[in-house]
Amino acid sequence: MNEEKFIMFHNRLTKVYRHRSKQAQKQGISCYRIYDHDLPEFPVCIELYEAHIYIAEYKRNHGMDETLHGQWIKQTIEVIAAVTGIAPEKAHVKLRQRKAGRQGQYQKTDITQHEIIVQEHGLKFIVNLEDYLDTGLFLDHRITRKMVMEESAGKRVLNLFAYTGSFSVYAAAGRAAAITTVDLSHTYTQWAERNMQLNALEQPGYSFVQADVLQYIKEVPANTYDLIVMDPPTFSNSKRMDDILDIQRDHVSLVNDCLRILSPGGILYFSTNARKFMLDRDRLQTGHIKDITRATTPFDFEGKLFRWCYKLEK
């Protein structure tokens, strides 16, 4: 790739970084997205995690051999380091590709651990920028998490497909009376528990459950929870699940199962990353549905966020 392209990348990155860093500073945010495939020649996503940079390269046919591709990555990192002021040694690079289902999400890409602790709205979270396909903190739900915190006081909260439990930490910070954190992965339920301990928020009423969510919620008695957060994968065919999950096909039964176990007036936050998702409102057992996608889109994801978020009330 010629030098002119790297100059274009440097100029573009300088412009967006200057703008986003100012917005982040105003909001007291230290982990945010800087760049997401703005230029076709640089198909990467760049996120700042305080003193570290996370770079995810989107899989594509770049036409470069291994040596040339390595040089391209090295020069790309040098540009990012020059713009952000973060040393190249603090840059963490991943190849981002679509997985068939969720099985890849749980796999380590390396056997070592590279954990760091970052803060968001005064809460601490463990992130790992090296060993997993995802970092441990989905930055696009920053606003949604705060909304959950503000509504959690005295509530019985259920966090489904909980990943590393960030919503549970926020609910605990919001003084929830009880929190159940459920995920299929033992790795992630442990991670969620460690996040809770890190913030000194653990309580006897806060539990962590490794389970298949599709089966788990069918066994929960009616009216058990006051607030539910559900952010399922778009598709999952994990061997640990009894069924295959397809969120477009299965969201009606999932949402209705959640509504059944909510108390009257209870709230469900439901989110999905399925780009072509269509909510089947007519088959849902509530008429109180609010699309909060735009309201929960952070400044660093505007125009680049492909997910839906809904607030449903029983």
Side-chain angles (χ1 to χ4, degrees), residues 77-290:
I77 291 170
E78 287 170 357
V79 171
I80 295 167
V83 171
T84 62
I86 294 174
E89 305 85 69
K90 297 283 185 75
H92 309 264
V93 184
K94 283 289 170 59
L95 178 63
R96 192 97 198 153
Q97 53 185 310
R98 288 185 178 274
K99 288 284 180 182
R102 197 176 178 180
Q103 70 272 23
Q105 187 179 353
Y106 296 124
Q107 296 169 0
K108 281 190 176 183
T109 57
D110 197 292
I111 57 168
T112 57
Q113 286 194 332
H114 301 85
E115 293 182 346
I116 60 172
I117 293 170
V118 298
Q119 293 201 37
E120 184 183 86
H121 292 136
L123 298 169
K124 297 175 185 176
F125 297 94
I126 300 162
V127 299
N128 189 320
L129 307 181
E130 291 282 348
D131 300 328
Y132 297 86
L133 293 173
D134 290 306
T135 66
L137 187 65
F138 291 134
L139 302 182
D140 64 296
H141 271 303
R142 189 186 306 127
I143 294 171
T144 326
R145 285 190 279 270
K146 199 167 185 185
M147 290 170 74
V148 166
M149 180 175 71
E150 289 165 354
E151 293 185 355
S152 290
K155 302 282 180 64
R156 299 165 297 170
V157 177
L158 176 62
N159 185 5
L160 299 171
F161 303 99
Y163 187 39
T164 58
S166 55
F167 275 106
S168 299
V169 171
Y170 268 82
R175 303 184 307 282
I179 306 168
T180 307
T181 304
V182 186
D183 197 275
L184 185 63
S185 165
H186 179 61
T187 298
Y188 288 153
T189 51
Q190 278 193 323
W191 195 331
E193 197 163 2
R194 289 169 62 214
N195 274 333
M196 195 73 81
Q197 291 165 353
L198 180 64
N199 290 279
L201 291 169
E202 64 265 42
Q203 286 187 25
Y206 297 169
S207 60
F208 301 84
V209 181
Q210 181 191 357
D212 177 353
V213 169
L214 277 69
Q215 300 302 315
Y216 180 85
I217 57 177
K218 291 187 183 300
E219 296 163 10
V220 176
N223 307 322
T224 299
Y225 294 99
D226 308 304
L227 193 155
I228 299 176
V229 178
M230 181 170 64
D231 184 18
T234 298
F235 178 81
S236 182
N237 57 357
S238 171
K239 291 175 183 176
R240 284 169 284 183
M241 290 180 67
D242 291 336
D243 302 309
I244 292 173
L245 171 65
D246 179 327
I247 196 59
Q248 183 61 63
R249 181 193 68 197
D250 299 326
H251 77 276
V252 171
S253 59
L254 269 171
V255 169
N256 285 338
D257 281 340
C258 288
L259 290 169
R260 179 187 66 81
I261 62 179
L262 273 175
S263 58
I267 291 168
L268 166 66
Y269 284 95
F270 166 55
S271 180
T272 175
N273 285 81
R275 290 196 178 203
K276 297 179 181 178
F277 180 77
M278 294 187 68
L279 190 71
D280 193 346
R281 292 171 179 261
D282 293 340
R283 293 169 59 204
L284 299 180
Q285 293 168 1
T286 180
H288 302 286
I289 304 168
K290 188 176 181 182

Side-chain angles (χ1 to χ4, degrees), residues 10-28:
H10 183 281
N11 292 341
R12 176 62 187 172
L13 191 60
T14 300
K15 183 179 178 181
V16 294
Y17 178 64
R18 194 174 289 152
H19 179 59
R20 296 242 169 106
S21 60
K22 282 179 184 175
Q23 290 176 296
Q25 197 169 10
K26 278 182 186 175
Q27 296 182 26

Side-chain angles (χ1 to χ4, degrees), residues 44-62:
V44 294
C45 169
I46 306 169
E47 293 177 343
L48 182 75
Y49 286 84
E50 297 186 355
H52 293 256
I53 289 284
Y54 177 75
I55 306 160
E57 181 190 0
Y58 293 109
K59 187 174 174 65
R60 88 283 193 206
N61 294 320
H62 47 62

